[in-house]
């Protein structure tokens, strides 16, 4: 390897660009800009006015955050659903007047007064919700009108009770403690608000109603097509918004014990500024409780700091308006450019120099022939994408499909066809265990099992998370092929932890080593990763020694051996390198050797590009995916190898009649059953001179008792 190639290899190994893309793709990066803005605000006003962060200043700020934060969460809830509520200032004033009137004028018990206040907030929210959710009026204009309506009601009712509210003194210790009590130097209202904020965080991020709200805000029509009652969700978000405003108004009333003509006036602008500044998008579908609270703290520190610096109210309002415009601009720019940043950095090719491929001139075994021309076609047009096949003890043939079904053709003539099981995801590797359960790798779902009674059982869909991984690699994204060890452990490959089955070309472009081998142990139902950083690990076959297995690395064009037990446990060695094509699945042969399927053949252009990661990266940025350089997966072959890597035989369909493209094959009673991920049928080819009594289930588990 030249010095230049060495430098390129080191650059793309130790300075990978994909880390930036992975970090930007994390949801918490939405809070990066608001968090930086918060730190800057704290630094500026902390240095200008140190008294703001004294014990008394923090106590006062915490009380305001308790109220203002709940208002921001309430508006965030509505904005995530795709709406907006400009009436929260008027509802806030109306609810504050309600709780004080109930306590100071009518001397009602505190629980009753709070329930009435919550009812007022819920009614105001329901009015907005019905008009916007069910009558489908525009949220901006509707809440602008209700802002005026609720404010008018407040100003008409307030003069009748203003004096009694000021002079009244409710006889409630809880009310007094809520307004003036403290714990650990902070008001009780702060802890109550924190509890409510935590509950809403769980609802929005961990519950079905929260997902429904985000789905409605993100794509209303798609949410409707998915079965979500969009109108009800929209209506309820406004109802809960009104109730949250009522809680905030109650805390405000307990702290100040009075209301005035300016209560809640212009509050909608302050709250809207906080919500947008926190990172909640105006377009809906994106927002969180954390964003709302960050924005609330920024706005409160800003307004309090300006007030303590002697800035008059009109100038302070002007500054707040400028901040709102800046927040909207940042939101628009961030939403527009964040995905571009991810796209430009997420795909990060590595340097990989493939071993020079062996051709037919160097090894006549690879000579193209027409042995597969006479393959018997089974189920033509009845199945799509049978990536892998399996044969049970009775000789029935099974295959997966891209539609999430497992097909079965009944022996001996394979003309009778049925759907054996519905799984729901693209089915790949499959094998039978000792109890005749069909264990299946399901793309995007994990490892599943289908019992002889056709019951579908999930075995595992996650493994241990890597400590050094930026993305959450605990979830199994692309379970590919499997085999079962003599003790029942299932070893299966996950081809890529970064990409799904539909994005396999991107993983090929990277060739970074995104795959791994995972072990599921049915004895204690544990799942653990046993081998990492493999280049698209694919086919797996356990060796009879009970200590090791062979697995294919597709983009590396090689077959490797891994010891999972014994003296060499944990070791990996290359058994066969420099294959002329891309190996997919590997399975046992009756003569003690192994069948390897080459899903496609190598080409000099792509081999050269593997040593040019910068070129591949530019290709993904500047050229449409349809024009990328891909492996040739239209023509492949089947080879037979020994356990030591000697190539013994090759099978081709030179004319491309029946099976020019293969991804898997299983030997059974003198025949080779063949599958292909791009095929619409299963093939069956008679092996000259093969043992007509040999079957894979018997070879693995012995004759059934």
């Amino acid at each position: 390897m030249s010095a230049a190639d060495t430098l390129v290899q080191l650059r793309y190994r130790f300075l990978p660009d994909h880390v930036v893309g992975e970090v930007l793709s994390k949801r918490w990066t939405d809070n990066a800009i608001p968090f930086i803005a918060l730190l800057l605000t704290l630094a500026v006003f902390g240095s200008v006015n140190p008294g703001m962060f004294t014990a008394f200043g923090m106590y006062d700020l915490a009380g305001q955050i308790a109220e203002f934060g709940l208002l921001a969460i309430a508006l965030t809830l509505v904005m995530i659903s795709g709406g907006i509520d400009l009436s929260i200032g008027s509802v806030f004033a109306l609810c504050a007047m309600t709780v004080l009137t109930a306590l100071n004028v009518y001397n009602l018990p505190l629980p009753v007064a709070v329930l009435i206040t919550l009812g007022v907030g819920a009614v105001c929210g329901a009015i907005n919700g019905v008009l916007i959710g069910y009558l489908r009026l525009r949220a901006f204009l509707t809440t602008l009108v209700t802002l005026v309506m609720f404010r008018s009601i407040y100003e008409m009712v307030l003069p009748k009770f203003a004096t009694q509210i000021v002079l009244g003194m409710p006889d409630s210790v809880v009310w007094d403690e809520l307004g003036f009590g403290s714990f650990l130097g902070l008001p009780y209202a702060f802890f109550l608000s924190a509890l409510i904020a935590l509950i809403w965080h769980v609802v929005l991020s961990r519950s079905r109603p929260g997902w429904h709200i985000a789905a409605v805000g993100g794509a209303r029509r798609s949410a409707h097509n998915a079965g979500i009652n969009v109108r009800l969700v929209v209506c309820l978000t406004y109802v809960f918004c009104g109730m949250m405003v009522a809680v905030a108004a109650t805390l405000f009333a307990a702290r100040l014990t009075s209301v005035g003509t300016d209560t809640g006036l212009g509050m909608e602008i302050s709250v809207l500024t906080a919500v947008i500044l926190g990172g909640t998008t105006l377009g809906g579908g994106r927002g969180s409780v954390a964003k709302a609270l960050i924005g609330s703290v920024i706005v409160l520190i800003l307004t309090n700091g300006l007030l303590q610096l002697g800035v008059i109210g009109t100038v302070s309002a002007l500054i707040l308006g400028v901040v709102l415009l800046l927040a909207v601009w940042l939101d628009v720019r961030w939403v527009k450019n964040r995905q571009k940043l991810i796209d430009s950095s997420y795909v990060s090719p590595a340097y990989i120099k493939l071993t020079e491929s062996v051709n037919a001139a160097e090894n006549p075994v690879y000579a193209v022939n027409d042995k597969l021309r006479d393959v018997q076609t089974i189920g033509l047009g009845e199945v799509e994408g049978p990536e892998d096949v399996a044969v049970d003890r009775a000789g029935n043939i099974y295959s997966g499909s891209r539609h999430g079904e497992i097909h079965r053709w009944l022996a001996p003539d394979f003309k009778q066809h049925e759907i054996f099981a519905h799984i729901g995801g693209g089915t790949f590797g499959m094998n039978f265990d000792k109890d005749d359960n069909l264990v299946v790798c399901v793309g995007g779902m994990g490892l599943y099992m289908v019992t002889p009674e056709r019951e579908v059982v999930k075995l595992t869909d996650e493994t241990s998370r890597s400590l050094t991984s930026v993305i959450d690699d605990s979830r199994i994204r692309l379970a590919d092929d499997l085999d079962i060890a003599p003790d029942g452990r299932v070893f299966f490959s996950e081809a890529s932890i970064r990409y799904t089955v539909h994005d396999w070309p991107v993983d090929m472009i990277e060739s970074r080593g995104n795959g791994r081998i995972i072990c599921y142990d049915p004895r204690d139902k544990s799942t653990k990763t046993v081998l990492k950083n493999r280049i698209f690990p694919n086919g797996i076959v356990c060796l009879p020694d009970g200590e090791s297995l062979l697995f294919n690395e597709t983009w590396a064009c090689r077959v490797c051996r891994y010891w999972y037990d014994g003296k060499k446990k944990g070791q990996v060695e290359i058994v066969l390198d420099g294959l002329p094509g891309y190996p997919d699945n590997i399975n046992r042969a009756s003569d003690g050797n192994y069948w390897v399927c080459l899903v496609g053949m190598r080409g000099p252009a792509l081999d050269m590009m593997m040593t040019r990661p910068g070129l591949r990266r530019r290709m993904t940025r500047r050229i449409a995916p349809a024009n990328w350089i891909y492996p040739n997966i239209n023509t492949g072959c089947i080879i037979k190898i020994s356990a030591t890597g000697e190539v013994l035989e090759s099978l081709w369909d030179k004319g491309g009649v029946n099976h020019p493209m293969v991804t898997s094959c299983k030997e059974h009673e003198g025949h080779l059953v063949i599958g292909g991920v791009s095929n619409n049928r299963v093939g069956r080819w008679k092996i000259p001179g093969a043992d007509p009594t040999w079957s894979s289930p018997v070879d693995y588990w012995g004759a059934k008792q």
Side-chain angles (χ1 to χ4, degrees), residues 46-232:
S47 60
V48 173
N49 187 10
M52 180 182 294
F53 301 108
T54 61
F56 177 77
M58 294 299 296
Y59 177 88
D60 184 59
L61 181 62
Q64 295 180 58
I65 291 174
E67 304 152 13
F68 195 78
L70 290 180
L71 292 173
I73 295 172
L75 184 57
T76 296
L77 181 66
V78 171
M79 291 179 64
I80 292 175
S81 70
I84 194 169
D85 190 354
L86 300 178
S87 67
I88 58 173
S90 300
V91 176
F92 179 85
L94 200 57
C95 290
M97 181 184 66
T98 299
V99 68
L100 288 173
T101 301
L103 290 172
N104 294 4
V105 178
Y106 293 102
N107 298 317
L108 296 176
L110 180 60
V112 176
V114 172
L115 287 176
I116 293 174
T117 306
L118 290 174
V120 171
V123 169
C124 294
I127 292 173
N128 287 329
V130 171
L131 292 174
I132 298 168
Y134 286 96
L135 300 184
R136 305 184 71 176
L137 302 182
R138 293 187 179 276
F140 184 88
L141 294 177
T142 301
T143 56
L144 186 62
V145 171
T146 55
L147 177 152
V148 177
M149 291 173 54
F150 299 150
R151 192 75 200 180
S152 299
I153 295 173
Y154 173 77
E155 292 179 351
M156 286 188 295
V157 176
L158 179 62
K160 299 180 180 180
F161 301 104
T163 303
Q164 293 172 281
I165 288 175
V166 173
L167 297 178
M169 185 67 67
D171 185 16
S172 173
V173 177
V174 176
W175 180 255
D176 294 337
E177 287 295 318
L178 188 62
F180 306 105
S182 64
F183 177 71
L184 298 177
L186 297 175
Y188 286 117
F190 177 82
F191 296 101
L192 177 60
S193 296
L195 176 61
I196 296 174
L198 178 61
I199 293 172
W200 274 110
H201 168 73
V202 173
V203 170
L204 291 176
S205 61
R206 299 291 187 272
S207 73
R208 191 179 300 273
W211 300 334
H212 285 181
I213 292 171
V216 169
R220 189 161 296 189
R221 184 178 295 276
S222 298
H224 172 75
N225 293 337
I228 298 175
N229 191 334
V230 173
R231 295 183 178 183
L232 178 62

Side-chain angles (χ1 to χ4, degrees), residues 500-625:
T500 64
V501 63
H502 303 292
D503 297 322
W504 66 264
V506 188
D507 192 273
M508 180 276 300
I509 294 297
E510 282 199 353
S511 294
R512 175 164 291 282
N514 297 322
R516 56 188 174 181
I517 306 296
I518 302 173
C519 174
Y520 169 76
D521 193 337
R523 295 170 295 188
D524 57 5
K525 302 186 184 306
S526 63
T527 306
K528 64 179 181 179
T529 301
V530 296
L531 191 61
K532 300 189 296 184
N533 303 322
R534 310 315 299 185
I535 303 174
F536 210 85
N538 207 325
I540 285 184
V541 61
C542 290
L543 301 187
D545 61 10
E547 296 182 349
S548 61
L549 56 84
L550 297 178
F551 69 93
N552 296 331
E553 288 188 276
T554 300
W555 310 137
C557 301
R558 65 192 179 202
V559 181
C560 299
R561 186 173 185 177
Y562 167 69
W563 278 266
Y564 55 85
D565 272 335
K567 295 181 179 179
K568 302 177 71 174
K569 182 178 180 180
Q571 296 184 28
V572 179
E573 71 175 28
I574 298 175
V575 173
L576 177 60
D577 204 358
L579 285 169
Y582 301 98
D584 200 302
N585 286 358
I586 179 171
N587 288 288
R588 294 182 185 182
S590 58
D591 57 2
N593 296 304
Y594 300 90
W595 298 106
V596 178
C597 298
L598 304 184
V599 67
M601 307 310 294
R602 291 167 57 179
L606 190 55
D607 281 4
M608 181 275 295
M609 288 188 65
M610 291 296 103
T611 63
R612 301 291 185 270
L615 177 61
R616 305 202 313 271
R617 184 182 181 189
R618 289 192 296 274
M619 180 180 71
T620 61
R621 288 181 174 185
R622 302 176 184 179
I623 301 176

Side-chain angles (χ1 to χ4, degrees), residues 300-585:
L300 285 175
I301 292 176
L302 180 63
T303 53
N304 289 345
L306 292 174
L307 181 63
Q308 293 178 12
L309 291 174
V311 179
I312 60 176
T314 53
V315 177
S316 179
L318 175 63
I319 294 174
L320 198 61
V322 172
V323 171
L324 176 58
L325 290 175
L326 179 62
V328 172
W329 180 80
L330 286 174
D331 176 70
V332 172
R333 301 301 297 177
W334 177 247
V335 171
K336 182 178 180 180
N337 295 308
R338 177 170 177 262
Q339 191 58 46
K340 291 182 180 179
L341 291 172
I342 295 174
D343 293 341
S344 65
S345 58
Y346 194 86
V347 179
S348 178
Y351 178 97
I352 173 173
K353 186 173 181 60
L354 299 177
T355 301
E356 188 173 348
S357 63
V358 179
N359 54 41
E362 297 171 330
N363 188 345
V365 175
Y366 287 117
V368 178
N369 55 61
D370 227 354
K371 293 181 180 180
L372 295 181
R373 182 180 180 87
D374 298 325
V375 166
Q376 174 190 354
T377 299
I378 299 174
L380 181 63
E382 295 177 338
V383 62
E384 286 190 38
E387 196 272 346
D388 197 12
V389 291
V391 186
D392 64 15
R393 295 176 185 271
N396 301 313
I397 294 176
Y398 299 75
S399 83
S401 78
R402 67 179 51 139
H403 299 302
E405 300 165 335
I406 295 178
H407 297 251
R408 178 165 70 175
W409 288 269
L410 302 181
D413 56 7
F414 310 108
K415 293 182 178 180
Q416 186 176 347
H417 166 259
E418 63 181 356
I419 302 298
F420 179 66
H422 295 270
I423 290 188
T427 49
F428 300 109
M430 54 176 63
N431 259 320
F432 285 96
D433 67 9
K434 64 179 180 179
D435 297 319
D436 295 330
N437 298 304
L438 183 61
V439 185
V440 185
C441 288
V442 185
M445 295 173 59
L447 189 68
Y448 280 71
M449 178 180 72
V450 184
T451 68
E453 294 76 27
R454 306 191 183 191
E455 179 187 2
V456 178
V457 180
K458 183 181 76 173
L459 298 181
T460 182
D461 61 358
E462 60 182 5
T463 183
S464 52
R465 179 171 181 175
S466 303
L467 296 177
T468 57
S469 176
V470 177
I471 62 173
D472 184 1
D473 62 351
S474 62
R475 193 76 177 179
I476 298 172
R477 294 190 177 192
L478 185 49
D480 201 330
D481 193 31
L482 66 90
D483 203 9
I484 305 172
D487 59 5
R489 284 180 292 175
V490 181
F491 290 90
F492 63 100
S493 59
E494 185 179 17
S496 176
I497 64 172
R498 282 166 50 82
Y499 301 103
T500 64
V501 63
H502 303 292
D503 297 322
W504 66 264
V506 188
D507 192 273
M508 180 276 300
I509 294 297
E510 282 199 353
S511 294
R512 175 164 291 282
N514 297 322
R516 56 188 174 181
I517 306 296
I518 302 173
C519 174
Y520 169 76
D521 193 337
R523 295 170 295 188
D524 57 5
K525 302 186 184 306
S526 63
T527 306
K528 64 179 181 179
T529 301
V530 296
L531 191 61
K532 300 189 296 184
N533 303 322
R534 310 315 299 185
I535 303 174
F536 210 85
N538 207 325
I540 285 184
V541 61
C542 290
L543 301 187
D545 61 10
E547 296 182 349
S548 61
L549 56 84
L550 297 178
F551 69 93
N552 296 331
E553 288 188 276
T554 300
W555 310 137
C557 301
R558 65 192 179 202
V559 181
C560 299
R561 186 173 185 177
Y562 167 69
W563 278 266
Y564 55 85
D565 272 335
K567 295 181 179 179
K568 302 177 71 174
K569 182 178 180 180
Q571 296 184 28
V572 179
E573 71 175 28
I574 298 175
V575 173
L576 177 60
D577 204 358
L579 285 169
Y582 301 98
D584 200 302
N585 286 358

